[in-house]
Amino acid sequence: MKKQCYKFQLFKLPYAYDALEPYIDTKTMKLHHDRHLKTYTDKLNAALAQCPELHSWSLERLLCSGNNIPMKIRNDVRNNGGGVYNHIYYFMGMSPDAEHVPGGELLDKICRTFGSWDEFKKKFKTCALDVFGSGYLWLVTDRRGCLKIVQTANQDSPISKGFCPIIVIDVWEHAYYLKHYNDRASYIDDWFAVLNAEFAEDNYIAGLC
Ligand code: MN
């Protein structure tokens, strides 16, 4: 992901709002990007405006610095910085025209860890259904390079705990409620149909360095 610092620009979607139809609907994409992500971006900038000493810090550094962030904006940085970071991964992680099943080194590692791509999908779906309340489910690598499926609550980000993100699904209700109502299972299936496996492969390779 390209490193940015203050003042953060609203991330530009790499595809049209309707590009992921019929799996992810246009209205959800518009609200999710233009309202939810924009609000996180604006609120992150508003918090950072109070602390010029942080203006040269990347988003990654801000999210990994926890207790070194001044108390008056610590929660705002955690929630809104996480909201920006996590949504960029989520939006980049979908594509209408990329491969939807990983290949190469990532597929090898998934097969060694979970048995097969289908076994991984089954496990990931079960874990995504288990996220209680608002949060995300991630496939990450840990510091030893092992694959792990981890949940994060609210807008917490796995990089704050030293993990490298590979794949993420947003399971906040705003990500699917307009089209899928309370049927998170069918949303997860639809999300897999537009998974940007090439982005995931690149993330895996980048995380190993
Ligand atoms: Mn979201």
Side-chain angles (χ1 to χ4, degrees):
M1 200 160 94
K2 202 168 131 260
K3 296 233 163 124
Q4 299 183 64
C5 55
Y6 183 85
K7 189 174 181 183
F8 291 92
Q9 303 292 311
L10 177 60
F11 169 78
K12 206 172 165 314
L13 278 184
Y15 40 77
Y17 294 112
D18 63 356
L20 305 177
E21 292 272 9
Y23 303 103
I24 309 289
D25 61 291
T26 308
K27 194 169 179 191
T28 296
M29 285 302 299
K30 271 198 174 140
L31 289 171
H32 206 167
H33 177 271
D34 294 5
R35 296 196 187 205
H36 290 277
L37 178 54
K38 182 171 190 306
T39 302
Y40 289 120
T41 310
D42 291 346
K43 286 186 170 174
L44 175 63
N45 284 328
L48 290 171
Q50 305 167 53
C51 296
E53 70 274 23
L54 302 180
H55 287 185
S56 62
W57 288 29
S58 68
L59 189 51
E60 289 78 0
R61 185 175 173 194
L62 289 166
L63 293 176
C64 293
S65 297
N67 294 341
N68 294 324
I69 305 291
M71 187 70 97
K72 63 177 177 180
I73 67 162
R74 194 176 295 166
N75 279 338
D76 284 338
V77 168
R78 177 178 176 170
N79 293 331
N80 298 298
V84 171
Y85 184 90
N86 299 342
H87 280 106
I88 293 174
Y89 259 88
Y90 172 68
F91 289 133
M92 291 284 294
M94 298 184 288
S95 168
D97 44 25
E99 291 293 328
H100 302 306
V101 176
E105 290 183 48
L106 176 56
L107 182 61
D108 288 347
K109 187 74 175 178
I110 285 173
C111 291
R112 285 201 300 277
T113 308
F114 301 99
S116 65
W117 172 247
D118 285 341
E119 284 298 312
F120 164 75
K121 269 176 82 171
K122 219 157 74 185
K123 174 131 201 239
F124 197 83
K125 182 175 176 179
T126 304
C127 295
L129 287 169
D130 276 348
V131 176
F132 185 75
S134 297
Y136 293 80
L137 192 75
W138 305 77
L139 176 69
V140 300
T141 42
D142 67 11
R143 288 194 177 90
R144 293 174 305 145
C146 297
L147 293 183
K148 286 204 154 47
I149 294 175
V150 298
Q151 289 187 12
T152 52
N154 303 313
Q155 291 299 351
D156 287 352
S157 187
I159 57 166
S160 308
K161 296 180 188 134
F163 295 123
C164 289
I166 299 172
I167 288 174
V168 63
I169 183 168
D170 184 343
V171 291
W172 282 60
E173 283 184 344
H174 67 229
Y176 61 90
Y177 209 85
L178 290 179
K179 173 177 163 66
H180 299 87
Y181 303 106
N182 62 340
D183 185 2
R184 190 188 288 180
S186 71
Y187 161 62
I188 297 166
D189 292 339
D190 281 348
W191 169 82
F192 265 117
V194 291
L195 177 72
N196 184 348
E198 294 159 27
F199 180 65
E201 289 166 19
D202 292 347
N203 292 338
Y204 176 63
I205 300 297
L208 295 179
C209 311

